[in-house]
Amino acid sequence: MLFIIIPIIMTFGLSLTNYTGGPNFSFTGLKNYIIAFTSPIFTRSLWITLKYVIFAVGFQILFALLFAIILNEKLLLNSFFRGVIFLPNIIASVAIGLSFMVILEPNNGMLNQLLNFFGLPSSRWLADPKSALGTIIAVSVWQNFGYYMIILLGGLQQINPCLYEAAEIDGAGALRKLISITIPGLSPVLFFSFTMSIIGGFKVFDLIYVMTGGSEGGGPAGSTKVVVLEIYQNAFQRFRFGYASAQSVILLIIILGITLWQYRQQKKWVTYDA
């Protein structure tokens, strides 16, 4: 009630006003929402956020599933590799962002030096509008897929081994077992992972703010300006709290709508009999 319900109600109330932080403000109705939906800056930030979510979530779950299957086997130093892959998830995003700013520095960054050592062309990474968002997605995937790997690993260990033994007797190969046993057996865990990853993707802020000079505009030519960064700039730099609140409500509705849609779809693809 104190940290969720009341702030949501207050945000919705502010979204109907022209509040700028001072004592004088007035009721404006749906004006802020009309401005938001007709603003090319806000609609572009929605599109950039959607691209981030699609690629970041897709690669996070893909790598998480791949490494979960590999590390579910009895391998040497299994626990060590699980810990190493999970480690980036517990490091502060600000620290990761600052570290990769050094690694990806266009002139003397370690990555470009490594590429030049092997005779490969260097890149401007975060300074190029064409590669900035993709670079941030790559860093985000590296940071977060270990968390979902641990969750999927737990799901794999709950699948009855007898199902794999029966499949081998019937002559099923690795791909057939993955499609017919592993994926259905992991469907509840995959559903949870997709849901949490999508919600986290729509709320991305810290990596972009740190790595691309977010306070000045969201990276080169605004190519990494996601919705939360646009909300932050309107609220705490331009002091347009009413307008920023309206954008926040729109983002809440989008996340809520996608989450509810996923819950409706889970009945079609989530199984619990494995």
Side-chain angles (χ1 to χ4, degrees):
M1 178 64 70
L2 181 61
F3 295 106
I4 298 178
I5 304 301
I6 293 177
I8 288 177
I9 295 173
M10 292 180 64
T11 300
F12 178 73
L14 286 176
S15 72
L16 304 176
T17 70
N18 61 355
Y19 181 64
T20 58
N24 300 319
F25 61 94
S26 60
F27 178 79
T28 58
L30 299 178
K31 181 179 179 180
N32 288 324
Y33 293 92
I34 296 173
I35 294 174
F37 282 115
T38 56
S39 168
I41 297 176
F42 181 65
T43 52
R44 187 191 182 200
S45 69
L46 281 174
W47 172 240
I48 293 173
T49 304
L50 182 61
K51 288 195 294 184
Y52 174 90
V53 169
I54 291 173
F55 288 102
V57 171
F59 282 111
Q60 282 174 13
I61 303 302
L62 177 63
F63 282 114
L65 179 61
L66 175 63
F67 280 90
I69 292 174
I70 294 174
L71 296 178
N72 192 43
E73 303 294 329
K74 295 181 179 179
L75 303 174
L76 186 64
L77 299 177
N78 214 337
S79 298
F80 170 77
F81 287 114
R82 292 178 187 176
V84 168
I85 294 174
F86 180 74
L87 182 62
N89 187 256
I90 63 176
I91 301 175
S93 295
V94 174
I96 289 177
L98 292 173
S99 299
F100 273 95
M101 285 182 66
V102 176
I103 295 172
L104 301 172
E105 204 276 325
N107 298 318
N108 301 310
M110 289 181 283
L111 183 56
N112 276 341
Q113 290 185 7
L114 182 63
L115 291 174
N116 293 333
F117 177 80
F118 288 104
L120 299 174
S122 58
S123 175
R124 298 178 64 217
W125 303 113
L126 297 172
D128 188 344
K130 296 180 180 179
S131 61
L133 184 63
T135 301
I136 293 174
I137 290 173
V139 175
S140 177
V141 171
W142 172 82
Q143 180 187 9
N144 295 311
F145 86 88
Y147 170 76
Y148 299 105
M149 181 202 71
I150 295 297
I151 295 175
L152 294 176
L153 190 58
L156 284 173
Q157 295 174 353
Q158 299 301 315
I159 300 177
N160 192 341
C162 295
L163 296 174
Y164 293 103
E165 295 174 3
E168 289 180 359
I169 293 174
D170 290 338
L175 181 60
R176 185 62 181 175
K177 288 188 286 186
L178 174 67
I179 296 174
S180 300
I181 300 176
T182 304
I183 300 299
L186 281 177
S187 57
V189 183
L190 281 171
F191 166 73
F192 171 80
S193 299
F194 269 111
T195 301
M196 298 306 296
S197 184
I198 289 173
I199 292 174
F202 272 103
K203 297 191 300 181
V204 63
F205 171 77
D206 40 13
L207 273 181
I208 292 178
Y209 182 83
V210 172
M211 295 178 66
T212 65
S215 58
E216 286 77 31
S223 59
T224 61
K225 192 173 187 178
V226 292
V227 172
V228 178
L229 181 57
E230 165 72 1
I231 294 171
Y232 167 82
Q233 291 175 341
N234 280 314
F236 301 108
Q237 293 179 351
R238 306 181 187 111
F239 302 105
R240 299 175 66 188
F241 292 106
Y243 181 49
S245 296
Q247 293 176 319
S248 300
V249 172
I250 293 171
L251 179 60
L252 171 65
I253 293 173
I254 292 173
I255 295 175
L256 184 61
I258 292 175
T259 303
L260 291 176
W261 178 81
Q262 284 184 289
Y263 272 103
R264 289 176 63 89
Q265 296 299 312
Q266 70 167 324
K267 298 178 181 179
K268 300 180 181 180
W269 64 280
V270 173
T271 61
Y272 296 92
D273 57 352

